[in-house]
Amino acid sequence: LLPGREPRAPAAARLVRMAIEKAAVLGATGGTGRWVARELAARGVAVRVVSRSRAHLERDFAGPRFERVEADLADAEGARRALAGCSHAVHCVGLPLARFAEHLRQAEAVTEALRAAGVRALLLTGYWSHSPLPERAISEKHVREGLGALSAIRKQQEDRFLAGGAGVVTLPDFYGPEA
């Protein structure tokens, strides 16, 4: 701290005060996405929920409180449509292991759409890029050199979002009250 300067609020406190006009929650029908969308809406944010499944969107977000958009985020047009008119986005997509590599196609399409639309974003991810873990706690200083193909995919996804100007938040797998 420099003399005469006020201390900065912690990053989490600054995030809470950020003006979010409209947020897109990508992967909104998963456990984490449902929680994020409902929490944003409870705080008065206009929320667009995005999923590949119209039926899941209708099941999880009935009524006028949420704008529902069915989109394939691995498709450039789908990603653009999902983010159009939003000021912020939270990427919560989790794919089954058989389709895990699709995270890279989604990262490419979504980060291009974020950049084109000027949308600020967070990627909510798990600890895959860090595994195996030498210790239980992960900090920003922890080396992201996981072993195996799945770890490599997750690391590439995170790198793509970081290069696109997004923030990356590492959570335990299956995070959220409904996970």
Side-chain angles (χ1 to χ4, degrees):
L1 182 65
L2 297 174
R5 300 222 25 208
E6 292 293 318
R8 291 184 68 191
R14 290 193 311 270
L15 180 63
V16 170
R17 283 187 254 141
M18 186 181 343
I20 302 174
E21 297 166 22
K22 184 178 204 174
V25 178
L26 312 177
T29 58
T32 303
R34 278 191 306 272
W35 183 85
V36 168
R38 290 174 182 154
E39 185 64 27
L40 287 169
R43 292 171 182 259
V45 174
V47 179
R48 175 180 295 156
V49 289
V50 181
S51 174
R52 287 173 315 193
S53 170
R54 169 66 62 186
H56 290 173
L57 287 167
E58 297 294 339
R59 175 196 70 202
D60 295 342
F61 301 102
R65 189 171 176 190
F66 298 94
E67 177 188 354
R68 293 171 296 284
V69 173
E70 180 182 7
D72 178 359
L73 298 174
D75 172 69
E77 178 55 33
R80 283 192 295 272
R81 194 166 30 82
L83 296 167
C86 292
S87 61
H88 293 77
V90 183
H91 190 283
C92 304
V93 176
L95 296 168
L97 294 179
R99 296 182 42 225
F100 210 73
E102 189 177 318
H103 279 298
L104 299 179
R105 289 191 303 281
Q106 283 189 7
E108 183 175 336
V110 169
T111 56
E112 288 300 321
L114 291 168
R115 188 176 4 262
V119 175
R120 298 186 70 182
L122 288 175
L123 166 67
L124 300 187
T125 185
Y127 58 82
W128 286 79
S129 63
H130 299 279
S131 64
L133 299 173
E135 55 199 53
R136 295 187 67 77
I138 298 174
S139 74
E140 59 277 355
K141 296 177 184 176
H142 192 95
V143 177
R144 294 183 310 124
E145 292 183 8
L147 302 175
L150 299 178
S151 293
I153 288 168
R154 191 59 95 181
K155 182 179 181 304
Q156 290 173 47
Q157 177 198 32
E158 293 168 7
D159 289 346
R160 177 70 180 188
F161 272 84
L162 289 168
V168 174
V169 178
T170 303
L171 301 172
D173 264 4
F174 308 112
Y175 181 79
E178 297 178 28

